Amino acid sequence: VAMPDHTRINVLGRFEALKNGEPVQVRARKAQAMLAILAIENGNPQSRERLAALLWSGTDDENARHNVRQALSRIRRDCGPLVASRSGVLTLDQNHCSTDVADFLDLAEAQNANALATALGHIRGVLLEGVDIREPEFEDWLRDARERMRTIACTAIDRLSDILISEGRTDEAETAFRRRLEMDPTCERAHRGLMSLFAGSGRRTDALRQYRLCAEALKRELDVEPGPETRALFDALSDRDEQPAPQTDLMSGSASLDTSGPLVAVLPFDNRATEDDVYFVDGITEDLITALSRFKGLQVIARTSSFLYRGREVPEAEIASALGADFLLRGSVRRNGDKARITTQLLDGGSGRALWAEQYDRDIADVFEVQNDIVSTLVSTLVGRVESDRLVHVRTMPVERLEAYD
């Protein structure tokens, strides 16, 4: 007996419709928006009048109702019988359809880490990212829906980080705190969480740097200073095992660099080939992270944090701010037969300026030899380039700037 068709509607990111696991094109923008409304309202029936007001506010009642009928017809043609109509109200038929919103909300109030992590895994970006429906009623509804989902997600991340800390899963807690800051760079709770984690693992410099990132975000976004609790934690860390400032040569303007070194994030390389090559592309990224981590002159963001940005369109400056990175390394891999073209780019985390770029063309007789060759070349170049840029940065700063002594 043939299994009935099943359609999946995903809206926690860009709109996506999948029928039996295969992408479905919903051709009409407002038909797509109607499906999204029903998915986001998560089982709450929507009247035809309400949908008409959201999507055709500038049209008279008769034409608006006609447009609703047309949109429903297009949905049925493209996706099948997803929408159930009873007594003039519409919902998604759960016998034929599932949504990422429903799955997210089902787990968002869980009290265990795995369930919360699964819930947050459904979030691929901003709710209905990239949607373009120029109707005032719809824009107001979408703004409220985004804020509602963001609040639920932030609460879930806060609960997840508390559980991870209590279970001693500090690496996962760090990833959770960073994701919280990605959603809201001004969240002092997450900044304090990272400061405490870093201090607890002996990374005092990182803890103090996190405070500076917090202060900068609050000033930039809200024009306020850190609150008393955050300031108190900073003061406690500043007083603990305080070291004298490094000596500075005022004639040359040079200063001793922090032995912990600049912080580098290696972002997941883009796979420009087929899905079968994901293992090869991820292997290059992971080997590069491992190789860079061996050098005392660098700090490297953990894979669990940098891989949060796989396939997501986030500005480099936002990524660097969320991760606290001084530099970003990103790249792409295009594989064609027994050849691979790998491009890499080193970016300044503050300005997004490209500092260095290279392209490699290699044979793929042996995947691991190719990876080792590329990693060796990149590491030897990156370490020198990062240190060179860092030294130039320090030498050009006024000596009264605290960062010049870091």
Side-chain angles (χ1 to χ4, degrees), residues 91-167:
T91 58
L92 290 180
D93 188 340
Q94 296 182 1
N95 294 319
H96 296 94
C97 181
S98 64
T99 71
D100 57 355
V101 169
D103 291 344
F104 166 67
L105 294 177
D106 283 346
L107 295 174
E109 296 185 4
Q111 299 299 319
N112 71 83
N114 291 339
L116 288 168
T118 299
L120 294 166
H122 290 294
I123 300 176
R124 299 170 293 114
V126 177
L127 183 73
L128 283 184
E129 186 175 344
V131 71
D132 183 25
I133 302 294
R134 298 179 184 179
E135 293 282 349
E137 291 284 340
F138 178 83
E139 290 172 348
D140 290 345
W141 171 85
L142 181 57
R143 183 181 61 251
D144 293 343
R146 283 174 171 168
E147 180 59 27
R148 186 169 70 250
M149 290 296 169
R150 192 189 73 85
T151 299
I152 295 171
C154 288
T155 301
I157 291 181
D158 290 344
R159 190 182 310 115
L160 173 61
S161 58
D162 287 344
I163 294 171
L164 293 171
I165 291 292
S166 69
E167 295 178 354

Side-chain angles (χ1 to χ4, degrees), residues 285-334:
T285 308
E286 291 167 4
D287 286 353
L288 185 54
I289 290 172
T290 301
L292 288 172
S293 299
R294 297 192 184 108
F295 289 81
K296 293 183 179 180
L298 294 174
Q299 296 182 92
V300 183
I301 296 291
R303 175 195 184 282
T304 50
S305 296
S306 60
F307 267 63
L308 289 172
Y309 295 94
R310 179 205 290 277
R312 302 176 62 189
E313 296 180 5
V314 181
E316 284 86 358
E318 290 185 22
I319 297 175
S321 177
L323 295 176
D326 299 304
F327 299 93
L328 301 176
L329 185 71
R330 68 187 326 158
S332 65
V333 179
R334 185 183 301 278

Side-chain angles (χ1 to χ4, degrees), residues 93-389:
D93 188 340
Q94 296 182 1
N95 294 319
H96 296 94
C97 181
S98 64
T99 71
D100 57 355
V101 169
D103 291 344
F104 166 67
L105 294 177
D106 283 346
L107 295 174
E109 296 185 4
Q111 299 299 319
N112 71 83
N114 291 339
L116 288 168
T118 299
L120 294 166
H122 290 294
I123 300 176
R124 299 170 293 114
V126 177
L127 183 73
L128 283 184
E129 186 175 344
V131 71
D132 183 25
I133 302 294
R134 298 179 184 179
E135 293 282 349
E137 291 284 340
F138 178 83
E139 290 172 348
D140 290 345
W141 171 85
L142 181 57
R143 183 181 61 251
D144 293 343
R146 283 174 171 168
E147 180 59 27
R148 186 169 70 250
M149 290 296 169
R150 192 189 73 85
T151 299
I152 295 171
C154 288
T155 301
I157 291 181
D158 290 344
R159 190 182 310 115
L160 173 61
S161 58
D162 287 344
I163 294 171
L164 293 171
I165 291 292
S166 69
E167 295 178 354
R169 298 159 66 177
T170 54
D171 286 348
E172 293 170 83
E174 179 179 341
T175 299
F177 283 131
R178 291 194 186 282
R179 186 161 190 187
R180 180 69 168 87
L181 290 175
E182 182 186 333
M183 292 183 175
D184 179 8
T186 66
C187 177
E188 291 191 59
R189 185 183 191 277
H191 283 292
R192 289 195 301 271
L194 287 173
M195 290 168 67
S196 297
L197 277 181
F198 294 150
S201 60
R203 297 161 60 186
R204 178 174 172 273
T205 300
D206 288 341
L208 297 178
R209 178 189 285 123
Q210 193 64 45
Y211 176 81
R212 289 199 296 273
L213 291 172
C214 174
E216 289 168 2
L218 289 168
K219 185 66 176 176
R220 180 179 64 252
E221 303 291 337
L222 304 174
D223 197 25
V224 298
E225 301 294 327
E229 192 173 351
T230 307
R231 179 71 197 184
L233 178 57
F234 171 73
D235 290 341
L237 293 172
S238 299
D239 293 339
R240 184 189 304 171
D241 300 325
E242 192 153 2
Q243 302 295 324
Q247 296 298 312
T248 303
D249 182 348
L250 297 179
M251 295 298 292
S252 65
S254 64
S256 300
L257 293 179
D258 192 323
T259 56
S260 62
L263 197 59
V264 179
V266 182
L267 302 179
F269 278 28
D270 295 330
N271 178 19
R272 300 289 174 81
T274 68
E275 287 300 316
D276 293 338
D277 293 314
V278 169
Y279 78 96
F280 175 66
V281 177
D282 285 353
I284 290 175
T285 308
E286 291 167 4
D287 286 353
L288 185 54
I289 290 172
T290 301
L292 288 172
S293 299
R294 297 192 184 108
F295 289 81
K296 293 183 179 180
L298 294 174
Q299 296 182 92
V300 183
I301 296 291
R303 175 195 184 282
T304 50
S305 296
S306 60
F307 267 63
L308 289 172
Y309 295 94
R310 179 205 290 277
R312 302 176 62 189
E313 296 180 5
V314 181
E316 284 86 358
E318 290 185 22
I319 297 175
S321 177
L323 295 176
D326 299 304
F327 299 93
L328 301 176
L329 185 71
R330 68 187 326 158
S332 65
V333 179
R334 185 183 301 278
R335 186 172 174 176
N336 185 14
D338 60 354
K339 301 285 186 182
R341 169 166 292 181
I342 299 164
T343 61
T344 58
Q345 190 176 43
L346 180 66
L347 305 171
D348 180 271
S351 66
R353 178 171 55 94
L355 304 175
W356 164 84
E358 190 57 85
Q359 177 176 294
Y360 303 88
D361 292 302
R362 295 287 190 270
D363 292 328
I364 310 182
D366 185 316
V367 167
F368 298 105
E369 285 186 9
V370 172
Q371 289 179 347
N372 290 337
D373 182 21
I374 293 168
V375 166
S376 176
T377 305
L378 286 176
V379 167
S380 62
T381 307
L382 180 63
V383 172
R385 187 65 188 84
V386 167
E387 290 301 328
S388 173
D389 189 80

